[in-house]
């Protein structure tokens, strides 16, 4: 479980050199290998107070299976256990009882799981395989006139977590949602009671996708998801019992961040990696990971095909200034959910940057893959020569392949839409600050492009847009961080970033723009709108790093609803919970309710660990 946030890459060398010939006490190990980041307020490194809220098991799992794996891999098992017990103040023999919901939080026995189509739902990342993140009026059960009356109906807390950044799925009256703690929950949409929970081997950030499969025991509704340890799971959606689990990529830092997609009996899995950060120390042989999409038999997990975004395997290129062998090409991970084109029998994906030289021609691109074979049908690169890893922004840039590279990869998924004139388009925002529309029926030829911001490592369009078939609605991140002198720490700039846009799908002309709201005196606050947006007829919803969830009129961009999520909540599972920044997923809307996670402690944001369920007047 990736309980610890990804640390700033300056910590990697410290942790990687922590191998000891004999067991040391936890305090000494922590001081030598961890304090430089965790006691200094370094970006993405939780402080001691936050670590003490966790169980020792959770920290140990982060060191051995999660985000800290590459940094702690050279430590002995004894040393890793000593650190976990020291930083939490708990013994590894202690049981973290808070992870088990109390009896009163469990749903009544005998509650049957209906057909996945028995009630309006929001299935997977994009509410369908086209990734539009749009819910029609009948399925939404919520009108624009009712949105200003939305109030919290119930709240659910994720025990001990600092982030709540997994996309909820709503199917058959149940909410399926993962957590940073590696738990996947099936909850009642009406009350938040727990039907079941499942322990994954790593944090689950993507959406759960529900599909019907036929197993040896007969037909079953399955819940599919991936984790940050690179595993993919199928579990019984009614009971939570595991059906199968596989790891589609053997690279030790492979991870499933984008949501898996179910279509026609197959599961399509996007694979990204943490090697972009792990490759920063000058002693690391950067880099060998290649992004990919795999097709699995949804009933068994059997591999059907696997297509790498970089065709050739990485080979030795040169040695860096300290004599470490470097490899390439590498990277071009797939960070988001693919889209399915039934008309052309094609899967579309967007790719990330390269981690090492030479840069490939498939990074920062739209890719089209044949659904049957995985063959790449066409590609369209939007930024060439983008070879970048975290060393490029640190003091020691030895492993930076190109200091001029912009890190303009895609973390937003492609949206497949039909424009008002009947022609189709594939639309995605990029970290460059550009929104692109390409022609899926003409080898990805560019239809139009529009700029929303300046872009950057955490800039431009981060996690995704929404479209109602007339316009595409785009939230801008452009978060600005100021690095603290003489340290590895950073703060967010409270007056930079953010903004909401509506663009005409036909020609890319800007229909409206709404500037961001200010942060005032709120700490760890940025107006950046990094989270994915979601839409219903007349309203588009966007969460901000400032902790607000807002509803905008799709006609003119005016704010018609503004909810400040920051603060404590009484939860149905009696877990202490707070709301914080919105970053990553967007709301899921179905049957008159809106579900969204709040809390993101990384990149200077505000921590939180709560799933919020809204309804009209909280009824």
């Amino acid at each position: 479980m990736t309980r610890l946030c990804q640390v700033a890459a300056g910590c990697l060398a410290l942790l990687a050199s922590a191998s000891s010939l004999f067991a040391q006490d936890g305090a000494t190990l922590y001081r030598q290998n961890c304090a430089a980041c965790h006691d200094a307020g370094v970006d993405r490194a939780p402080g001691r107070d936050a670590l003490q809220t966790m169980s020792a098991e959770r920290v140990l799992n982060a060191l051995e299976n999660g985000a800290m794996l590459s940094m702690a891999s050279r430590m002995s098992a004894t040393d890793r256990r000593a650190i976990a017990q020291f930083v939490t103040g708990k013994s590894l023999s202690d049981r973290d009882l808070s992870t088990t919901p109390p009896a009163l939080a469990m749903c009544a026995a005998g509650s049957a799981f209906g057909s996945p189509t028995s009630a309006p739902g929001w299935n997977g990342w994009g509410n369908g395989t086209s990734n539009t993140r749009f819910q029609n009026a009948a399925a939404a059960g919520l009108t624009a006139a009712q949105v200003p009356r939305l109030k919290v109906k119930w709240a659910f807390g994720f025990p001990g977590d600092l982030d709540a950044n997994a996309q909820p799925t709503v199917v058959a009256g149940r909410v399926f949602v993962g957590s940073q703690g590696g738990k996947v929950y099936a909850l009642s949409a009406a009350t938040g009671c727990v039907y079941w929970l499942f322990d994954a081997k790593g944090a689950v950030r993507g959406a759960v996708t529900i599909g019907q499969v036929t197993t040896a025991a007969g037909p079953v509704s399955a819940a599919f998801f991936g984790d940050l340890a690179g595993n993919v799971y199928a579990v019984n959606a009614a009971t939570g019992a595991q059906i199968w689990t596989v790891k589609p990529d053997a690279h030790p830092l492979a991870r499933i961040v984008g949501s898996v997609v179910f279509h026609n009996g197959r599961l399509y899995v996007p694979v990204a990696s943490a090697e972009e950060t792990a490759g920063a120390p000058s002693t690391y042989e950067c880099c060998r990971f290649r992004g990919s999409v795999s097709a699995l038999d949804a009933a068994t997990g059997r591999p059907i095909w696997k297509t790498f975004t970089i065709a050739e395997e990485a080979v030795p290129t040169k040695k860096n200034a300290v004599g470490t062998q470097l490899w390439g090409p590498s990277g071009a991970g797939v960070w988001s959910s693919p889209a399915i084109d039934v008309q052309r029998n094609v899967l579309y994906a967007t790719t990330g940057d390269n981690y090492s030289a030479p840069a490939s021609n498939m990074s920062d691109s739209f890719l089209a893959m044949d659904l049957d074979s995985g063959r790449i049908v066409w590609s369209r690169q939007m930024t060439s020569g983008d070879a970048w890893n975290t060393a490029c922004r640190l003091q020691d840039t030895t492993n930076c392949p190109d200091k001029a590279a912009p890190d303009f990869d895609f973390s937003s998924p492609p949206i497949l839409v039909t424009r008002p004139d009947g022609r189709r388009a594939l639309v995605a925002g990029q970290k460059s600050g550009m929104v692109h529309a390409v022609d899926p029926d003409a080898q990805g030829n560019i239809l139009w492009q529009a700029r929303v911001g300046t872009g950057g490592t955490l800039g431009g369009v981060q996690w995704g847009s929404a479209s109602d078939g007339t316009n595409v609605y785009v939230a801008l991140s452009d978060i600005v961080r100021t690095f603290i002198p003489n340290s590895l720490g950073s703060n967010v700039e409270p007056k930079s970033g953010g903004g909401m846009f509506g663009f005409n799908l036909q020609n890319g002309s800007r229909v409206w723009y709404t500037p961001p709201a200010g942060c005032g005196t709120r700490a760890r606050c940025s107006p950046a709108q990094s989270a994915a947006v979601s839409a219903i007829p007349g309203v588009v919803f966007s969460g901000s790093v400032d902790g607000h969830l807002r509803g905008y009129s799709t006609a003119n961009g005016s704010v018609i609803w503004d909810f400040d999520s920051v603060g404590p909540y009484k939860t149905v599972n009696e877990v202490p919970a707070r709301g914080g920044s919105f970053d990553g997923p967007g709301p899921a809307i179905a049957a008159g309710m809106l579900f969204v996670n709040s809390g993101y402690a990384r990149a200077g944001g505000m921590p939180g660990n709560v799933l919020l369920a809204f309804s009209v007047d909280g009824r």
Side-chain angles (χ1 to χ4, degrees):
M1 301 177 188
T2 50
R3 296 298 193 277
L4 296 177
C5 298
Q6 295 178 349
V7 313
C11 298
L12 303 185
L14 291 170
L15 284 166
S17 65
S19 178
S20 58
L21 298 177
F22 55 92
Q24 304 177 59
D25 68 277
T28 300
L29 286 166
Y30 178 85
R31 184 175 63 254
Q32 292 175 345
N33 306 297
C34 311
C37 291
H38 291 278
D39 287 356
V42 167
D43 177 34
R44 303 191 182 208
R48 283 288 306 280
D49 56 344
L51 294 173
Q52 287 171 351
T53 68
M54 302 177 183
S55 68
E57 288 87 353
R58 293 177 62 185
V59 173
L60 180 64
N61 202 18
L63 292 168
E64 296 183 337
N65 300 299
M68 301 294 291
L69 173 62
S70 64
M71 289 74 86
S73 60
R74 298 184 186 180
M75 292 182 180
S76 70
T78 301
D79 288 351
R80 290 195 298 267
R81 291 175 65 87
I83 288 176
Q85 293 183 106
F86 170 73
V87 299
T88 62
K90 304 179 183 73
S91 169
L92 280 169
S93 61
D94 291 342
R95 175 173 167 78
D96 184 358
L97 297 177
S98 66
T99 63
T100 302
L104 62 84
M106 302 302 295
C107 299
S111 301
F113 180 71
S115 165
T117 58
S118 62
W122 182 292
N123 195 354
W125 174 265
N127 191 32
T129 55
S130 294
N131 278 339
T132 62
R133 297 192 63 84
F134 176 76
Q135 187 70 287
N136 65 42
L142 181 67
T143 67
Q146 292 173 318
V147 166
R149 294 166 51 195
L150 286 174
K151 293 181 174 60
V152 175
K153 182 177 182 179
W154 54 261
F156 182 88
F158 300 106
D161 289 352
L162 302 176
D163 300 331
N165 62 336
Q167 172 69 49
T169 281
V170 187
V171 172
R174 298 191 183 186
V175 179
F176 299 86
V177 63
S179 71
Q180 284 296 304
K183 304 281 187 184
V184 176
Y185 299 87
L187 312 174
S188 165
T191 67
C193 68
V194 182
Y195 286 105
W196 53 258
L197 61 89
F198 178 87
D199 278 306
K201 298 175 184 177
V204 176
R205 283 186 56 175
V208 176
T209 297
I210 308 298
Q212 292 281 104
V213 297
T214 300
T215 67
V220 65
S221 292
F224 304 100
F225 51 90
D227 69 18
L228 295 195
N231 305 293
V232 180
Y233 306 83
V235 305
N236 187 308
T239 66
Q242 182 172 298
I243 301 172
W244 54 258
T245 182
V246 299
K247 190 166 186 174
D249 193 297
H251 193 283
L253 296 176
R255 52 179 45 197
I256 315 298
V257 176
S259 305
V260 299
V261 177
F262 175 82
H263 173 68
N264 200 24
R266 291 185 179 183
L267 195 70
Y268 297 95
V269 182
V271 182
S273 169
E275 196 176 29
E276 185 174 31
T277 296
S282 59
T283 54
Y284 186 93
E285 294 191 3
C286 183
C287 283
R288 304 188 212 191
F289 170 82
R290 297 179 289 161
S292 65
V293 176
S294 290
L296 309 177
D297 183 309
T300 64
R302 176 182 60 85
I304 297 173
W305 55 256
K306 178 178 181 178
T307 298
F308 287 102
T309 57
I310 302 173
E312 63 270 31
E313 291 187 37
V315 296
T317 53
K318 65 177 183 179
K319 292 188 176 181
N320 68 14
V322 300
T324 303
Q325 179 66 59
L326 301 180
W327 298 69
S330 64
V334 182
W335 292 91
S336 61
S337 182
I340 303 294
D341 185 345
V342 177
Q343 180 177 317
R344 289 196 169 270
N345 198 45
V346 164
L347 174 147
Y348 302 112
T350 51
T351 64
D353 59 326
N354 295 116
Y355 303 160
S356 58
S360 73
N361 61 0
M362 294 291 190
S363 58
D364 299 7
S365 298
F366 289 88
L367 301 183
M369 301 179 186
D370 180 79
L371 281 176
D372 293 331
S373 65
R375 176 180 61 89
I376 295 179
V377 179
W378 58 260
S379 65
R380 181 65 58 181
Q381 188 172 52
M382 294 305 174
T383 302
S384 61
D386 193 7
W388 186 96
N389 64 52
T390 304
C392 297
R393 69 170 181 83
L394 297 177
Q395 184 175 1
D396 181 5
T397 60
T398 301
N399 264 11
C400 174
D402 184 353
K403 295 177 185 177
D407 185 27
F408 280 170
D409 52 313
F410 283 95
S411 51
S412 295
I415 303 171
L416 180 63
V417 291
T418 299
R419 300 188 301 173
D421 67 353
R423 292 182 64 187
R424 304 193 310 158
L426 201 62
V427 183
Q430 190 180 355
K431 285 167 57 179
S432 62
M434 296 293 293
V435 180
H436 310 277
V438 303
D439 191 339
D441 301 312
Q443 304 294 301
N445 288 341
I446 295 172
L447 295 170
W448 55 260
Q449 295 173 303
R451 178 166 290 282
V452 295
T454 58
T457 297
L458 295 177
V461 185
Q462 284 286 306
W463 291 111
S465 309
S467 177
D468 56 11
T470 300
N471 298 327
V472 60
Y473 305 103
V474 182
L476 172 66
S477 175
D478 271 9
I479 192 169
V480 173
R481 292 180 294 172
T482 56
F483 290 89
I484 302 170
N486 302 316
S487 82
L488 295 171
S490 66
N491 293 316
V492 289
E493 166 55 52
K495 296 182 179 180
S496 301
M500 191 71 194
F501 299 78
F503 292 100
N504 184 299
L505 267 181
Q506 191 66 39
N507 56 26
S509 61
R510 193 167 82 182
V511 179
W512 51 260
Y513 164 66
T514 304
C519 281
T521 59
R522 176 167 283 176
R524 294 181 68 88
C525 179
S526 166
Q529 292 169 242
S530 307
V533 302
S534 308
I536 63 173
V539 186
V540 58
F541 297 93
S542 172
S544 172
V545 177
D546 67 10
H548 287 254
L549 178 64
R550 299 177 177 93
Y552 299 78
S553 166
T554 58
N556 57 27
S558 61
V559 177
I560 64 172
W561 178 66
D562 187 338
F563 178 82
D564 185 355
S565 73
V566 177
Y569 291 88
K570 179 177 174 59
T571 62
V572 294
N573 58 331
E574 297 187 338
V575 167
R578 297 184 62 85
S581 296
F582 290 97
D583 198 329
I589 306 119
M593 296 189 69
L594 182 151
F595 305 89
V596 67
N597 272 324
S598 176
Y600 194 79
R602 310 178 193 199
M606 293 173 281
N609 63 325
V610 69
L611 171 66
L612 300 172
F614 296 85
S615 62
V616 176
D617 298 327
R619 294 198 298 265

